Amino acid sequence: MEEEAGEEPGLDRSTAPKDFHFYNMDLYDSEDRMQIIPQENTRMRREVVQAEMTKDPRGPGERKIQRDLQEEVDDLVHLYGLEDEQELGDEFVEESRMGVSGYLPYGMKRRDPTREQRDWRLGGEAAEAEDLGYEGWGLAGQCQDLREAYRYAHGRASEEYECYVIPEEEDEEEAEDVFCVTCKTPIRAVEKAFDEHKEHEVTPLNKALESAKDEIHKNMYKLEKQIIEMENFASHLEEVFITVEENFGRQEQNFELHYNEILETLAQKYEEKIQTLGQKKKEKLEALYGQLVSCGENLDTCKELMETIEEMCHEEKVDFLKDAVAMADRLGKFLKTKTDVEISAQPDFEDQTLDFSDVEQLMGSINTIPAPSAPVINPQAPNSATGSSVRVCWSLYSDDTVESYQLSYRPVQDSSLGKDQAEFTVTIKETYCSVANLEPNTQYEFWVIAQNRAGPSPSSERAVYMTAPSPPIIKSKEIRSCEEAAFICWESGNLNPVDSYTVELTQAETPEALGVTESVVGIPTCESLIQLQPRQCYIIYVRALNVGGPSARSEPATVHTTGSYFHLNKNTCHSWLTISKDGFTVVRSERKILTRELLPSKTQFTRCVAVMGNLIPVRGRHYWEVEVDECLDYTVGVAFEDVPKQEDLGANCYSWCMRHTFASSRHKYEFLHNRTTPDIRITVSPKKIGILLDYENSKLSFFNVDISQHLYTFNCQLHQFVHPCFSLEKPGCLKIHNGILMPMHVTFY
């Protein structure tokens, strides 16, 4: 503790004066301290020190250095009028001669750290004087000069003067060690008491750092989430952009097609009308021309008759009479000829009204909505399916008008079957549909088409949806438990694999009084070891999960965590033994079963007439009891799962057993392991044997339950899990009692 207070190691305080104070000074002088001693004195000291370092300190050089040093100190004392304090300078020189370091001059005080911190803020000569303890010595410059002389006399190396100075405390600023919550900035703890942070809330710097890191991590998580959302939104915008561009492209093509069709129709009607008009024009003109020719011929005939008659009038009477008779006949015939003086073709034009109804229909179809674009079917959402139905959703990323949708689906084709699956189609108006009557845990592919009066859209991409699995089937006869856990196994109930299973636990004091439900999720196989609370009753359910969602609950199974509970393993049972329906009684009948010699097996006993129990693989303490007949030859104990099935129990290092044989009214009890047994005599034959398997202490103990007597204890090296084993050498039965509380005499053993 003295070293912590500032004492330098190796100093004997008993040799110092009573009022001498110990104080560790800075190892190096501050570079920014004002120089009081003139520069020539600095050079002088440098020369003195160099001479001191090059000469033997015990020779004449030392005496010369000390003399020069004394003269310099005297000059300083005389310069500042400190002759009364000459003794102080003598002490400086004496300490320098003795080579003692770490002392303050006699009468000086130990530096107070809080006071030192205050002095740095004062920033004046008086502060330095007060710090050095020279309040009554006059000017601060004198104190500074003495301080320089004192450091020089102590023989410490200085970077500035290249000589030795006494160590002194560096006035370094204390590092921040707390965080001001109000100002959101790191501060020093001492500032909390004096500065503006006095009323502010502060917290340790490490805690503030962790809090800041947590806040940054949260913000980074939010930022990553926002980035994902923006990327998804950008992808969605890109899809919309492409869809709108394609839709307008189709509309442009539609307009061009309609206008071309209208132009073709108008051109056809024009040609038809021109041909009709030309035909009618030709017919009328030909009729008029024929009538005009006929009229001209008649007119010429009339003119000719008139001229002939005029010529006859100038003839003689006889000639006139002759010609008049002939002319009269000719005129009679001509006049009898009917002359058509009505115009056969009227000049008026018929009303040539054009029928543009088909053109108007085409023009109207331009403004009609186009056929919709292809819908986009959505991926399957979590928990969107049951074992017999699935909810399918899709979107239409355009402004198309849709009157209905056609949703088609079929089971995903198995390439091994080599046959097409039947397709089904439903028509709906919404953008979602719940399709029912499906097979559980089966994949279906869906596609959808949008429709309006302009026609159907292209088909969407095909998406695969999956129905939820069927509920699993818990194997109640294979449930194993102890006070800390239960081992549950089940059948999948589905032909296709599922993703995982979930076990749901309902704790209750009785099966009717339900407690809080807990779940164990993400179980990859059809079995699970579940940690439970001791001496409780649980109702267990199992669900299967896939991408479609969870299945319905399985049928419940009840588990009690009272003692160790197990069933006999039928796969290990010798063919001469029979296991009861409840799985707790093993029987060997009087009539010997005639069978051929059994082949060696790794699971079934073939020589020893035995069977093994299936104990839960949990380390701890397990207890069960076996009800026996006093006159029965039996063997009970434990064995590793891979115990040789062609050897007797206890005849190897894989089993630890208690064997009883009855002959000539005598009972013989052996505790066998690797064919060895201790010499133990049991006077009271047990009717119920208690077996305690203690993994923690590597012990296997046997008890007479009826009289609470300890029979024997094995010290076992159980490097793996063991299982109960039971053997009958003669006809009889053994009844196993498990799932029971451990008796008091066993608990304290």
Side-chain angles (χ1 to χ4, degrees):
M1 296 297 295
E2 291 181 352
E3 291 186 13
E4 295 177 4
E7 180 178 352
E8 242 182 75
L11 292 180
D12 185 3
R13 280 191 163 184
S14 62
T15 62
K18 180 178 179 181
D19 294 332
F20 226 101
H21 296 280
F22 293 86
Y23 185 70
N24 280 335
M25 304 296 288
D26 293 337
L27 181 60
Y28 300 106
D29 189 18
S30 177
E31 295 181 359
D32 58 356
R33 184 173 287 115
M34 184 182 299
Q35 295 185 6
I36 301 299
I37 300 178
Q39 196 64 242
E40 55 271 14
N41 292 337
T42 302
R43 290 195 298 270
M44 182 186 303
R45 285 198 297 270
R46 184 182 301 115
E47 294 173 358
V48 170
V49 172
Q50 290 176 353
E52 180 185 24
M53 295 177 63
T54 56
K55 293 183 180 181
D56 186 357
R58 294 171 295 181
E62 180 181 3
R63 291 192 296 272
K64 184 177 184 302
I65 293 173
Q66 296 295 338
R67 190 166 51 253
D68 295 341
L69 183 61
Q70 181 64 39
E71 291 176 358
E72 185 176 356
V73 172
D74 292 341
D75 293 340
L76 291 174
V77 171
H78 177 73
L79 178 64
Y80 295 105
L82 301 176
E83 290 84 354
D84 295 338
E85 303 297 331
Q86 181 68 37
E87 183 181 356
L88 179 62
D90 294 338
E91 286 184 8
F92 290 169
V93 177
E94 181 66 18
E95 285 185 10
S96 176
R97 183 180 61 80
M98 294 172 60
V100 179
S101 63
Y103 293 98
L104 283 174
Y106 181 76
M108 295 183 70
K109 302 178 182 178
R110 184 189 303 273
R111 179 176 294 184
D112 187 359
T114 59
R115 189 175 180 183
E116 177 186 6
Q117 184 179 7
R118 187 180 67 252
D119 292 340
W120 275 109
R121 296 174 185 168
L122 294 178
E125 295 178 349
E128 283 195 21
E130 183 182 0
D131 181 61
L132 292 172
Y134 298 139
E135 294 90 335
W137 283 22
L139 296 176
Q142 298 173 350
C143 300
Q144 177 69 17
D145 193 13
L146 288 175
R147 186 175 182 179
E148 295 289 347
Y150 178 70
R151 293 205 317 271
Y152 162 69
H154 271 65
R156 297 295 186 206
S158 170
E159 294 179 359
E160 181 179 358
Y161 301 112
E162 298 184 7
C163 66
Y164 291 90
V165 297
I166 191 170
E168 62 182 21
E169 291 184 353
E170 294 184 359
D171 296 324
E172 295 182 355
E173 186 176 356
E174 184 180 356
E176 293 85 355
D177 53 359
V178 295
F179 183 79
C180 180
V181 179
T182 306
C183 299
K184 305 295 184 182
T185 180
I187 62 173
R188 294 176 294 171
V190 68
E191 297 179 6
K192 166 64 178 173
F194 301 103
D195 289 351
E196 68 273 8
H197 306 284
K198 185 175 182 180
E199 302 298 332
H200 294 178
E201 180 185 356
V202 297
T203 184
L205 197 60
N206 292 337
K207 185 177 180 181
L209 179 61
E210 294 297 329
S211 177
K213 288 182 178 180
D214 293 341
E215 187 68 23
I216 289 175
H217 290 163
K218 291 179 182 177
N219 292 334
M220 288 179 64
Y221 173 76
K222 293 180 180 178
L223 184 60
E224 290 176 356
K225 186 177 180 181
Q226 186 174 358
I227 289 174
I228 294 174
E229 291 178 355
M230 293 301 295
E231 288 178 349
N232 294 336
F233 181 70
S235 177
H236 174 67
L237 284 179
E238 185 178 0
E239 292 178 355
V240 173
F241 180 87
I242 294 174
T243 303
V244 171
E245 185 180 21
E246 292 177 351
N247 188 34
F248 274 95
R250 286 195 300 270
Q251 290 186 0
E252 291 174 358
Q253 294 177 358
N254 188 29
F255 288 160
E256 184 178 359
L257 179 64
H258 278 72
Y259 277 116
N260 290 336
E261 187 175 356
I262 291 172
L263 293 176
E264 291 178 359
T265 302
L266 289 175
Q268 182 178 357
K269 287 184 174 294
Y270 172 79
E271 293 294 335
E272 291 177 355
K273 291 298 181 181
I274 290 298
Q275 290 180 2
T276 302
L277 289 174
Q279 186 67 28
K280 290 183 177 180
K281 174 184 175 182
K282 180 180 178 181
E283 292 176 354
K284 283 191 174 186
L285 291 178
E286 288 179 351
L288 291 173
Y289 180 77
Q291 192 173 11
L292 182 59
V293 170
S294 175
C295 182
E297 291 177 352
N298 291 333
L299 183 59
D300 292 339
T301 303
C302 290
K303 288 180 178 180
E304 181 184 357
L305 290 175
M306 286 296 295
E307 292 175 356
T308 304
I309 291 173
E310 287 179 357
E311 291 178 356
M312 288 176 57
C313 290
H314 297 287
E315 292 180 355
E316 294 293 334
K317 294 181 179 180
V318 177
D319 295 332
F320 177 76
L321 291 174
K322 292 180 181 180
D323 294 332
V325 174
M327 180 60 67
D329 294 335
R330 184 177 176 186
L331 285 173
K333 292 179 180 180
F334 178 77
L335 293 174
K336 289 180 180 180
T337 303
K338 186 176 180 181
T339 302
D340 187 7
V341 293
E342 294 181 1
I343 299 175
S344 60
Q346 297 295 328
D348 298 334
F349 292 97
E350 298 178 359
D351 187 9
Q352 300 293 329
T353 303
L354 299 178
D355 184 10
F356 288 102
S357 60
D358 50 353
V359 177
E360 292 175 355
Q361 184 178 359
L362 290 174
M363 292 294 294
S365 64
I366 296 178
N367 299 323
T368 305
I369 57 174
S373 58
V376 178
I377 196 164
N378 300 337
Q380 185 172 9
N383 302 325
S384 61
T386 66
S388 60
S389 66
V390 66
R391 180 182 174 89
V392 185
C393 301
W394 57 90
S395 304
L396 198 65
Y397 292 121
S398 64
D399 297 331
D400 294 344
T401 300
V402 178
E403 297 176 356
S404 63
Y405 297 94
Q406 283 190 346
L407 178 65
S408 302
Y409 63 94
R410 68 179 180 182
V412 174
Q413 184 175 356
D414 189 353
S415 58
S416 61
L417 297 178
K419 61 180 181 180
D420 295 334
Q421 299 287 347
E423 294 184 3
F424 304 91
T425 302
V426 292
T427 301
I428 56 274
K429 292 184 177 298
E430 297 81 9
T431 56
Y432 61 88
C433 180
S434 294
V435 182
N437 301 322
L438 304 177
E439 295 295 328
N441 199 39
T442 303
Q443 290 183 331
Y444 290 84
E445 57 179 358
F446 291 85
W447 63 97
V448 64
I449 296 174
Q451 290 181 322
N452 60 19
R453 62 174 180 263
S457 72
S459 175
S460 68
E461 297 290 336
R462 302 199 175 197
V464 176
Y465 279 57
M466 193 170 191
T467 53
S470 298
I473 303 171
I474 298 178
K475 300 178 181 179
S476 300
K477 296 295 184 181
E478 298 182 17
I479 293 178
R480 295 172 275 168
S481 64
C482 62
E483 291 195 349
E484 295 84 14
F487 188 84
I488 314 297
C489 54
W490 57 86
E491 294 179 358
S492 173
N494 296 273
L495 296 177
N496 299 323
V498 300
D499 294 342
S500 63
Y501 297 93
T502 297
V503 175
E504 297 180 353
L505 311 173
T506 302
Q507 182 177 343
E509 296 180 357
T510 61
E512 292 80 13
L514 299 181
V516 178
T517 299
E518 300 177 358
S519 298
V520 181
V521 300
I523 303 173
T525 60
C526 291
E527 59 183 25
S528 178
L529 182 63
I530 305 170
Q531 300 297 321
L532 302 174
Q533 298 296 324
R535 301 186 182 182
Q536 299 292 332
C537 175
Y538 292 89
I539 299 178
I540 307 278
Y541 303 92
V542 181
R543 296 180 187 266
L545 286 86
N546 62 13
V547 295
S551 70
R553 278 180 168 181
S554 66
E555 292 295 325
T558 303
V559 173
H560 296 272
T561 55
T562 304
S564 298
Y565 181 84
F566 61 88
H567 288 272
L568 296 176
N569 189 350
K570 295 182 180 180
N571 295 328
T572 65
C573 184
H574 193 280
S575 60
W576 292 358
L577 296 179
T578 304
I579 300 176
S580 62
K581 291 183 178 180
D582 61 5
F584 301 115
T585 303
V586 56
V587 179
R588 180 173 179 177
S589 60
E590 294 285 348
R591 182 175 58 85
K592 186 175 180 180
I593 302 175
L594 298 177
T595 58
R596 59 184 177 85
E597 184 178 355
L598 298 175
L599 297 175
S601 172
K602 292 184 179 181
T603 58
Q604 185 181 15
F605 286 99
T606 55
R607 176 175 177 177
C608 179
V609 185
V611 64
M612 295 182 71
N614 207 358
L615 190 64
I616 185 172
V618 173
R619 295 189 176 273
R621 307 184 80 188
H622 302 276
Y623 177 79
W624 64 93
E625 296 175 353
V626 184
E627 188 176 336
V628 299
D629 189 342
E630 295 180 0
C631 301
L632 183 65
D633 291 354
Y634 59 85
T635 303
V636 294
V638 298
F640 291 125
E641 186 175 4
D642 56 351
V643 63
K645 304 301 189 294
Q646 296 79 31
E647 299 180 8
D648 292 333
L649 295 175
N652 47 59
C653 61
Y654 299 97
S655 57
W656 295 261
C657 300
M658 171 183 173
R659 176 185 290 176
H660 170 258
T661 56
F662 179 75
S664 301
S665 301
R666 296 184 60 184
H667 298 274
K668 181 180 179 182
Y669 292 92
E670 298 175 288
F671 294 90
L672 294 169
H673 174 64
N674 207 11
R675 297 185 182 277
T676 61
T677 179
D679 186 10
I680 294 178
R681 299 183 184 275
I682 298 176
T683 57
V684 180
S685 298
K687 296 181 180 179
K688 184 180 289 187
I689 302 172
I691 303 174
L692 174 63
L693 173 61
D694 189 351
Y695 279 103
E696 297 176 355
N697 299 311
S698 298
K699 291 182 178 181
L700 176 68
S701 303
F702 296 87
F703 301 87
N704 187 335
V705 177
D706 295 332
I707 61 175
S708 303
Q709 179 187 18
H710 171 250
L711 300 178
Y712 183 73
T713 295
F714 286 102
N715 290 317
C716 314
Q717 295 299 324
L718 304 176
H719 56 275
Q720 60 182 357
F721 291 107
V722 294
H723 297 281
C725 53
F726 312 91
S727 175
L728 288 171
E729 306 303 328
K730 293 181 180 180
C733 69
L734 297 174
K735 188 172 183 180
I736 296 95
H737 299 272
N738 58 29
I740 58 178
L741 289 175
M742 195 178 300
M744 295 296 294
H745 67 274
V746 175
T747 305
F748 294 106
Y749 180 74

